[in-house]
Amino acid sequence: MTFLVIGAAGAQGGAVARRLVAEGHPVRGLTRSGRVPRGVEPVAGDLGDAEAVKAAFAGVTHASVTLPMVYEPDTVAAHVRHVRDAALAAGVRRLVFNTANRLPEAATQVAAFETRRWAVRTLRSAGLPLVVLCPPVYLDNLAAPWVTGPLAAEGVLRYPLPADLPVPWLSHDDLAAATHASLVRDGLEGAVLRLGGPDVVTGDELAAAFGARYAAQDPAEFEPGLAKALGASTAAVVAATYRWAAADRDLFAPDPAAAELLGLRLTPLRAWIAAQPWAAR
């Protein structure tokens, strides 16, 4: 088996690549920067380059795909078509697509949801042996400086979700474990798995686990800070997902069946916090 990780230079794909290397698999990573985790074979290229994507898939049997944080529909469509065509040409035996967020049941006007929904339909209609992973919010988001700063200085955990909204926060490492299982376990083709961590907590309960208090942040206040890191257009789309989540309380509903189907023991919230050096500070 040869594994390709698209997005191996990112936080989510990087965690997946490290997990696959740790499991002893040969792993290749498509990357523009050339930076991939240790043990991963870098393949230079961009999802917008059909030939580069085809070269990355050559000889690959299993692939994990996380799209970059780009939400312009035509750009995403080109990326997905290139992945579809290259995966079909390579005859991959399993392709795991990470939507990087839960997807609402009904169509929305939020590009982060709809471009990924379109991607799922496109890959599925091509007849690829597909497993779709739909994670909730990542615990690793809490390591961002705009979260850790107020947490350390004021004892306040600020995040753009309502204080009373229950969320099954998931770590990148548990996403990686779920991706590995989805790639290698039999009988999962066609599955759409709503991932989530083992502890479903409100904002107040999350903050209490840090010994802090929670302050729900308005997405409009959150967006400018995010824009400094990701750019204004991307930040606007991400902020829109948080606005949607505040109104759609079913978006992050827990689904323990996903972990059971994958045979996973996920990381408890307090164990994850205890392992973070910044949390101790």
Side-chain angles (χ1 to χ4, degrees), residues 61-139:
T61 58
H62 297 68
S64 165
V65 178
T66 304
L67 297 177
M69 295 180 72
V70 175
Y71 304 110
E72 198 282 318
D74 289 343
T75 302
V76 175
H79 290 176
V80 174
R81 286 196 299 267
H82 295 162
V83 168
R84 175 199 64 193
D85 295 347
L88 288 170
V92 295
R93 304 206 298 262
R94 181 70 58 80
L95 190 148
V96 175
F97 180 73
N98 172 18
T99 62
N101 206 331
R102 294 284 185 84
L103 300 181
E105 291 295 328
T108 72
Q109 298 298 315
V110 180
F113 300 144
E114 299 314 312
T115 55
R116 275 46 182 177
R117 196 193 310 274
W118 183 90
V120 171
R121 289 198 302 264
T122 299
L123 297 172
R124 179 181 288 138
S125 64
L128 287 164
L130 184 68
V131 177
V132 178
L133 301 183
C134 301
V137 189
Y138 290 119
L139 282 165

Side-chain angles (χ1 to χ4, degrees), residues 4 28-32 34 36 40-46 52-53 55-57:
L4 172 65
R28 183 182 298 169
L30 178 66
T31 172
R32 290 183 299 175
V36 293
V40 176
E41 174 195 353
V43 178
D46 183 276
V53 178
F57 268 94

